[in-house]
Amino acid sequence: NMKTYKHFINGKFQGGDQTFEIKNPATGDTIGLAARGTKAEIDQAVDVARETFETTSWADMDGRLRGALLRNIAKVIRQQAVELVALEVADAGKTIGDARAEIEIAAQTWDYYADLTQSPVGAINAVPSPDQFDYTIRQPMGVIGIIIPWNFPFVLTALKLAPALAAGNTAVLKPAEETPVTASVLGGLLNEAGLPRGIVNIVLGTGEEAGAALSANEKVDKLVFTGSTEVGAQVMKAAARNITDVTLELGGKSANIICADADREQAVMSAAFGCLLHSGQCCCAGTRLLIESNIYDSFMSRLKDCFERVRVGDPADERTHLGP
Protein backbone atom coordinates (compact mmCIF):
# COMPACT_ATOMS: atom_id res chain seq x y z
CA ASN A 1 0.00 0.00 0.00
CA MET A 2 2.18 2.80 -1.33
CA LYS A 3 1.63 6.49 -0.68
CA THR A 4 0.49 8.44 -3.74
CA TYR A 5 1.68 12.04 -3.88
CA LYS A 6 -0.95 14.16 -5.59
CA HIS A 7 -1.41 17.43 -7.42
CA PHE A 8 -2.39 20.44 -5.33
CA ILE A 9 -4.92 22.60 -7.19
CA ASN A 10 -7.16 25.30 -5.70
CA GLY A 11 -6.19 24.33 -2.15
CA LYS A 12 -7.02 20.62 -2.52
CA PHE A 13 -5.10 17.46 -3.32
CA GLN A 14 -6.34 15.71 -6.45
CA GLY A 15 -5.40 13.15 -9.08
CA GLY A 16 -3.67 9.83 -8.88
CA ASP A 17 -5.50 7.74 -11.47
CA GLN A 18 -2.47 7.96 -13.72
CA THR A 19 0.73 7.61 -11.71
CA PHE A 20 4.44 6.96 -12.05
CA GLU A 21 6.90 5.44 -9.56
CA ILE A 22 9.21 7.53 -7.42
CA LYS A 23 12.61 5.89 -6.88
CA ASN A 24 15.17 6.34 -4.13
CA PRO A 25 18.38 6.97 -6.15
CA ALA A 26 20.58 5.47 -3.41
CA THR A 27 18.79 2.13 -3.23
CA GLY A 28 16.70 1.94 -6.41
CA ASP A 29 13.65 1.18 -4.22
CA THR A 30 10.25 2.60 -5.11
CA ILE A 31 9.30 4.97 -2.29
CA GLY A 32 5.89 6.05 -3.56
CA LEU A 33 3.75 6.94 -6.53
CA ALA A 34 3.23 10.38 -8.03
CA ALA A 35 0.16 11.59 -9.87
CA ARG A 36 1.03 11.95 -13.55
CA GLY A 37 -0.26 15.32 -14.71
CA THR A 38 -1.16 15.99 -18.34
CA LYS A 39 -2.17 19.10 -20.27
CA ALA A 40 -5.63 18.82 -18.66
CA GLU A 41 -4.30 19.27 -15.09
CA ILE A 42 -1.88 22.02 -16.15
CA ASP A 43 -4.64 23.94 -17.93
CA GLN A 44 -6.93 23.51 -14.92
CA ALA A 45 -4.19 24.77 -12.55
CA VAL A 46 -3.44 27.77 -14.79
CA ASP A 47 -7.15 28.63 -15.01
CA VAL A 48 -7.41 28.53 -11.21
CA ALA A 49 -4.29 30.71 -10.84
CA ARG A 50 -5.61 33.17 -13.44
CA GLU A 51 -9.06 33.39 -11.84
CA THR A 52 -7.55 33.78 -8.36
CA PHE A 53 -5.33 36.59 -9.62
CA GLU A 54 -8.16 38.43 -11.34
CA THR A 55 -11.08 37.94 -8.94
CA THR A 56 -9.59 37.94 -5.43
CA SER A 57 -7.91 40.66 -3.39
CA TRP A 58 -4.53 38.85 -3.43
CA ALA A 59 -2.79 41.17 -5.92
CA ASP A 60 -3.98 44.29 -4.06
CA MET A 61 -3.43 42.95 -0.55
CA ASP A 62 -1.41 45.10 1.81
CA GLY A 63 2.19 43.93 1.50
CA ARG A 64 2.44 43.48 5.27
CA LEU A 65 -0.34 40.88 5.18
CA ARG A 66 1.36 39.00 2.36
CA GLY A 67 4.62 39.20 4.32
CA ALA A 68 2.93 37.72 7.39
CA LEU A 69 1.69 34.77 5.30
CA LEU A 70 5.17 34.18 3.85
CA ARG A 71 6.63 34.23 7.37
CA ASN A 72 4.00 31.68 8.40
CA ILE A 73 5.10 29.41 5.55
CA ALA A 74 8.70 29.60 6.82
CA LYS A 75 7.48 28.76 10.33
CA VAL A 76 5.48 25.72 9.18
CA ILE A 77 8.47 24.49 7.14
CA ARG A 78 10.68 24.67 10.24
CA GLN A 79 8.04 22.80 12.28
CA GLN A 80 7.95 20.01 9.66
CA ALA A 81 11.70 20.06 8.99
CA VAL A 82 12.46 16.56 10.29
CA GLU A 83 9.87 14.97 8.02
CA LEU A 84 10.89 17.13 5.03
CA VAL A 85 14.57 16.23 5.50
CA ALA A 86 13.79 12.49 5.52
CA LEU A 87 11.65 12.84 2.37
CA GLU A 88 14.37 14.81 0.56
CA VAL A 89 17.07 12.25 1.50
CA ALA A 90 14.92 9.38 0.14
CA ASP A 91 13.68 11.21 -2.95
CA ALA A 92 16.71 13.23 -4.08
CA GLY A 93 19.54 11.11 -2.65
CA LYS A 94 20.88 14.05 -0.64
CA THR A 95 23.08 13.38 2.35
CA ILE A 96 21.20 14.09 5.55
CA GLY A 97 23.44 17.09 6.29
CA ASP A 98 22.79 18.60 2.85
CA ALA A 99 19.06 17.98 3.20
CA ARG A 100 18.97 19.72 6.60
CA ALA A 101 20.78 22.71 5.16
CA GLU A 102 18.44 22.81 2.18
CA ILE A 103 15.23 22.80 4.24
CA GLU A 104 16.57 25.55 6.52
CA ILE A 105 17.76 27.66 3.55
CA ALA A 106 14.29 27.25 2.02
CA ALA A 107 12.70 28.57 5.24
CA GLN A 108 15.19 31.48 5.25
CA THR A 109 14.21 32.23 1.63
CA TRP A 110 10.51 32.51 2.57
CA ASP A 111 11.52 34.83 5.45
CA TYR A 112 13.73 36.95 3.18
CA TYR A 113 10.96 37.61 0.66
CA ALA A 114 8.50 38.21 3.51
CA ASP A 115 10.77 41.12 4.52
CA LEU A 116 10.87 42.44 0.94
CA THR A 117 7.10 42.96 1.00
CA GLN A 118 7.92 45.99 3.20
CA SER A 119 10.19 47.59 0.58
CA PRO A 120 9.11 50.63 -1.41
CA VAL A 121 7.72 49.57 -4.78
CA GLY A 122 7.70 52.77 -6.82
CA ALA A 123 9.95 55.55 -8.05
CA ILE A 124 9.63 59.19 -9.00
CA ASN A 125 11.48 59.81 -12.25
CA ALA A 126 13.39 62.91 -13.34
CA VAL A 127 11.50 64.99 -15.94
CA PRO A 128 12.61 67.88 -18.18
CA SER A 129 10.07 70.42 -17.02
CA PRO A 130 8.83 71.46 -13.54
CA ASP A 131 5.16 71.28 -14.59
CA GLN A 132 5.40 67.55 -15.35
CA PHE A 133 5.24 64.72 -12.85
CA ASP A 134 6.40 61.24 -13.81
CA TYR A 135 6.32 58.15 -11.63
CA THR A 136 6.67 54.38 -11.91
CA ILE A 137 4.61 51.91 -9.94
CA ARG A 138 5.37 48.21 -9.79
CA GLN A 139 2.51 45.78 -10.15
CA PRO A 140 2.34 41.98 -10.05
CA MET A 141 2.65 40.31 -13.46
CA GLY A 142 -0.10 37.73 -13.00
CA VAL A 143 0.32 33.98 -13.35
CA ILE A 144 3.89 32.67 -13.00
CA GLY A 145 4.66 29.21 -14.44
CA ILE A 146 7.55 27.57 -12.56
CA ILE A 147 9.51 24.47 -13.61
CA ILE A 148 12.21 23.28 -11.22
CA PRO A 149 14.88 20.55 -11.40
CA TRP A 150 15.70 17.56 -9.20
CA ASN A 151 18.95 18.67 -7.60
CA PHE A 152 17.75 21.23 -5.01
CA PRO A 153 13.99 20.72 -5.16
CA PHE A 154 12.81 22.38 -1.97
CA VAL A 155 15.14 25.35 -2.00
CA LEU A 156 14.53 26.10 -5.69
CA THR A 157 10.78 25.91 -5.09
CA ALA A 158 11.23 28.56 -2.37
CA LEU A 159 13.50 30.71 -4.54
CA LYS A 160 10.88 30.84 -7.30
CA LEU A 161 7.59 30.82 -5.36
CA ALA A 162 8.45 33.20 -2.52
CA PRO A 163 9.33 36.24 -4.68
CA ALA A 164 6.37 35.56 -6.99
CA LEU A 165 4.01 35.56 -4.00
CA ALA A 166 5.71 38.49 -2.26
CA ALA A 167 4.96 40.61 -5.34
CA GLY A 168 1.30 39.53 -5.44
CA ASN A 169 1.39 36.99 -8.27
CA THR A 170 -0.22 33.55 -8.40
CA ALA A 171 1.71 30.49 -9.55
CA VAL A 172 1.64 27.07 -11.13
CA LEU A 173 4.59 24.89 -10.10
CA LYS A 174 5.76 21.78 -11.96
CA PRO A 175 8.48 19.94 -9.99
CA ALA A 176 10.92 17.56 -11.65
CA GLU A 177 9.49 14.09 -12.25
CA GLU A 178 12.47 12.57 -10.38
CA THR A 179 11.75 14.54 -7.17
CA PRO A 180 8.05 15.39 -6.83
CA VAL A 181 7.59 14.46 -3.16
CA THR A 182 8.37 17.64 -1.19
CA ALA A 183 6.60 19.82 -3.79
CA SER A 184 3.40 17.86 -3.25
CA VAL A 185 3.85 17.93 0.54
CA LEU A 186 4.35 21.72 0.35
CA GLY A 187 0.71 22.07 -0.73
CA GLY A 188 -0.46 20.90 2.69
CA LEU A 189 2.03 23.22 4.41
CA LEU A 190 0.69 26.22 2.46
CA ASN A 191 -2.84 25.39 3.66
CA GLU A 192 -1.55 25.05 7.20
CA ALA A 193 0.16 28.45 6.94
CA GLY A 194 -3.15 30.02 5.94
CA LEU A 195 -2.33 30.87 2.33
CA PRO A 196 -5.67 31.43 0.52
CA ARG A 197 -6.52 28.72 -1.99
CA GLY A 198 -5.71 29.08 -5.67
CA ILE A 199 -2.59 31.21 -5.22
CA VAL A 200 -0.16 28.29 -5.51
CA ASN A 201 -1.10 25.28 -7.66
CA ILE A 202 1.23 22.29 -8.00
CA VAL A 203 1.06 19.75 -10.82
CA LEU A 204 3.33 16.68 -10.81
CA GLY A 205 4.33 14.98 -14.05
CA THR A 206 6.90 14.64 -16.79
CA GLY A 207 8.59 17.43 -18.71
CA GLU A 208 7.22 16.18 -22.04
CA GLU A 209 3.62 16.21 -20.80
CA ALA A 210 3.16 18.66 -17.94
CA GLY A 211 6.24 20.86 -18.45
CA ALA A 212 5.59 21.35 -22.16
CA ALA A 213 1.91 22.16 -21.53
CA LEU A 214 2.84 24.81 -18.94
CA SER A 215 5.41 26.39 -21.27
CA ALA A 216 2.87 26.63 -24.09
CA ASN A 217 -0.11 27.90 -22.06
CA GLU A 218 -1.06 31.38 -23.27
CA LYS A 219 -2.63 32.37 -19.93
CA VAL A 220 0.78 32.29 -18.21
CA ASP A 221 2.37 35.75 -17.88
CA LYS A 222 5.89 34.64 -17.05
CA LEU A 223 7.82 31.36 -17.15
CA VAL A 224 10.63 30.57 -14.74
CA PHE A 225 12.77 27.54 -15.53
CA THR A 226 15.84 26.04 -13.89
CA GLY A 227 17.39 23.03 -15.61
CA SER A 228 19.40 21.94 -18.63
CA THR A 229 20.32 24.28 -21.46
CA GLU A 230 18.67 21.91 -23.95
CA VAL A 231 15.27 21.95 -22.19
CA GLY A 232 15.64 25.68 -21.48
CA ALA A 233 15.79 26.26 -25.24
CA GLN A 234 12.53 24.29 -25.65
CA VAL A 235 10.82 26.33 -22.90
CA MET A 236 11.96 29.56 -24.56
CA LYS A 237 10.71 28.35 -27.94
CA ALA A 238 7.28 27.45 -26.54
CA ALA A 239 7.11 30.79 -24.70
CA ALA A 240 8.02 32.72 -27.85
CA ARG A 241 4.73 31.79 -29.52
CA ASN A 242 2.81 33.69 -26.85
CA ILE A 243 5.54 36.31 -26.27
CA THR A 244 5.66 35.06 -22.65
CA ASP A 245 8.43 36.57 -20.54
CA VAL A 246 11.01 33.94 -19.47
CA THR A 247 13.73 33.66 -16.85
CA LEU A 248 16.07 30.73 -17.46
CA GLU A 249 18.74 29.40 -15.12
CA LEU A 250 20.65 26.82 -17.13
CA GLY A 251 23.71 24.58 -16.87
CA GLY A 252 27.23 25.90 -16.91
CA LYS A 253 30.85 24.78 -16.91
CA SER A 254 32.51 26.38 -13.93
CA ALA A 255 36.26 26.67 -13.43
CA ASN A 256 38.19 27.10 -10.20
CA ILE A 257 41.25 29.25 -10.83
CA ILE A 258 43.92 28.58 -8.22
CA CYS A 259 46.93 30.87 -8.00
CA ALA A 260 50.17 30.12 -6.18
CA ASP A 261 49.48 32.67 -3.43
CA ALA A 262 46.04 31.24 -2.53
CA ASP A 263 45.29 29.94 0.97
CA ARG A 264 46.20 26.33 0.14
CA GLU A 265 43.97 24.52 2.67
CA GLN A 266 40.98 26.64 1.75
CA ALA A 267 41.61 26.15 -1.98
CA VAL A 268 41.93 22.36 -1.66
CA MET A 269 38.74 22.16 0.39
CA SER A 270 36.72 24.37 -1.94
CA ALA A 271 38.04 22.54 -5.02
CA ALA A 272 36.93 19.20 -3.57
CA PHE A 273 33.64 20.51 -2.15
CA GLY A 274 32.94 22.47 -5.33
CA CYS A 275 32.69 19.40 -7.52
CA LEU A 276 31.40 16.84 -5.00
CA LEU A 277 28.47 18.70 -3.40
CA HIS A 278 25.33 16.61 -3.97
CA SER A 279 27.38 14.15 -6.07
CA GLY A 280 28.43 16.96 -8.42
CA GLN A 281 24.80 17.49 -9.46
CA CYS A 282 24.95 21.25 -9.28
CA CYS A 283 24.75 23.84 -12.07
CA CYS A 284 27.65 25.77 -10.54
CA ALA A 285 29.79 22.72 -9.70
CA GLY A 286 33.50 23.51 -10.06
CA THR A 287 34.13 20.86 -12.66
CA ARG A 288 37.46 22.24 -13.91
CA LEU A 289 40.58 23.27 -12.06
CA LEU A 290 43.00 25.77 -13.58
CA ILE A 291 46.09 25.67 -11.35
CA GLU A 292 49.19 27.83 -11.57
CA SER A 293 51.92 25.57 -12.94
CA ASN A 294 54.49 25.92 -10.11
CA ILE A 295 51.99 24.61 -7.50
CA TYR A 296 50.30 22.09 -9.78
CA ASP A 297 51.95 18.89 -8.51
CA SER A 298 51.74 19.69 -4.79
CA PHE A 299 48.12 20.86 -5.14
CA MET A 300 47.04 17.74 -7.02
CA SER A 301 48.68 15.54 -4.42
CA ARG A 302 46.76 17.29 -1.61
CA LEU A 303 43.54 17.10 -3.59
CA LYS A 304 44.05 13.35 -4.09
CA ASP A 305 44.46 12.93 -0.29
CA CYS A 306 41.29 14.94 0.21
CA PHE A 307 39.34 12.80 -2.28
CA GLU A 308 40.54 9.61 -0.63
CA ARG A 309 38.99 10.71 2.67
CA VAL A 310 35.53 11.18 1.11
CA ARG A 311 33.08 8.63 2.52
CA VAL A 312 30.62 7.33 -0.06
CA GLY A 313 27.60 5.59 1.39
CA ASP A 314 24.01 5.65 2.53
CA PRO A 315 22.87 9.30 2.40
CA ALA A 316 20.75 8.78 5.53
CA ASP A 317 23.94 8.02 7.53
CA GLU A 318 25.34 11.12 9.28
CA ARG A 319 28.92 10.12 8.35
CA THR A 320 28.35 9.97 4.60
CA HIS A 321 29.91 12.74 2.51
CA LEU A 322 28.71 11.52 -0.87
CA GLY A 323 25.44 9.72 -1.66
CA PRO A 324 24.51 7.95 -4.88
Side-chain angles (χ1 to χ4, degrees):
N1 185 19
M2 244 176 218
K3 182 164 170 62
T4 300
Y5 293 92
K6 298 187 171 185
H7 313 304
F8 179 76
I9 300 174
N10 208 14
K12 293 190 182 69
F13 287 103
Q14 71 172 60
D17 313 334
Q18 281 188 298
T19 58
F20 58 94
E21 293 188 340
I22 307 164
K23 301 274 189 200
N24 177 329
T27 60
D29 296 341
T30 301
I31 55 171
L33 301 171
R36 181 173 172 169
T38 61
K39 183 177 184 299
E41 285 81 11
I42 286 287
D43 291 352
Q44 182 200 352
V46 172
D47 286 347
V48 166
R50 164 67 46 214
E51 194 181 333
T52 305
F53 181 75
E54 286 174 2
T55 64
T56 70
S57 60
W58 175 247
D60 300 322
M61 185 186 275
D62 184 325
R64 283 170 299 187
L65 296 176
R66 277 207 300 267
L69 281 167
L70 265 60
R71 258 182 223 101
N72 254 359
I73 295 168
K75 191 174 97 184
V76 172
I77 286 169
R78 288 192 175 100
Q79 285 164 355
Q80 303 292 327
V82 173
E83 180 201 351
L84 290 166
V85 166
L87 292 173
E88 210 70 298
V89 169
D91 193 16
K94 289 188 169 293
T95 62
I96 192 160
D98 279 359
R100 274 196 202 109
E102 177 166 354
I103 302 305
E104 173 52 30
I105 291 166
Q108 287 172 17
T109 302
W110 284 100
D111 275 337
Y112 176 84
Y113 286 103
D115 290 344
L116 280 194
T117 60
Q118 313 299 294
S119 303
V121 287
I124 296 170
N125 308 315
V127 284
S129 137
D131 59 355
Q132 294 172 341
F133 181 66
D134 186 35
Y135 64 96
T136 306
I137 54 171
R138 291 178 178 272
Q139 295 175 307
M141 287 192 75
V143 178
I144 315 292
I146 300 169
I147 302 172
I148 56 158
W150 41 263
N151 55 352
F152 297 92
F154 205 67
V155 101
L156 285 168
T157 296
L159 281 167
K160 311 299 188 216
L161 272 181
L165 268 51
N169 300 288
T170 59
V172 176
L173 170 78
K174 206 294 282 181
E177 66 207 73
E178 294 87 353
T179 53
V181 172
T182 52
S184 174
V185 169
L186 179 66
L189 304 186
L190 298 177
N191 278 349
E192 203 180 317
L195 188 73
R197 66 192 170 86
I199 291 165
V200 172
N201 303 278
I202 300 162
V203 178
L204 316 183
T206 66
E208 294 79 21
E209 287 177 313
L214 184 56
S215 305
N217 188 305
E218 74 279 0
K219 294 180 188 170
V220 170
D221 295 293
K222 180 178 176 69
L223 279 165
V224 185
F225 172 83
T226 298
S228 70
T229 306
E230 179 194 11
V231 177
Q234 292 170 1
V235 169
M236 199 172 189
K237 197 171 166 186
R241 268 185 236 116
N242 305 312
I243 324 285
T244 305
D245 191 32
V246 291
T247 297
L248 305 174
E249 186 189 347
L250 309 177
K253 191 74 181 151
S254 310
N256 273 328
I257 301 170
I258 295 162
C259 303
D261 62 353
D263 174 334
R264 193 70 56 91
E265 284 314 306
Q266 175 65 46
V268 169
M269 281 309 295
S270 63
F273 175 77
C275 72
L276 294 181
L277 174 70
H278 194 22
S279 308
Q281 299 168 140
C282 184
C283 59
C284 52
T287 45
R288 291 182 295 158
L289 292 179
L290 304 177
I291 305 169
E292 202 169 325
S293 52
N294 61 339
I295 60 162
Y296 180 85
D297 292 332
S298 64
F299 191 89
M300 289 307 283
S301 132
R302 284 203 190 182
L303 190 66
K304 184 167 174 284
D305 293 344
C306 192
F307 272 27
E308 279 167 359
R309 291 201 301 274
V310 170
R311 283 188 296 268
V312 181
D314 174 0
D317 183 334
E318 297 279 358
R319 291 163 309 186
T320 297
H321 292 135
L322 197 62

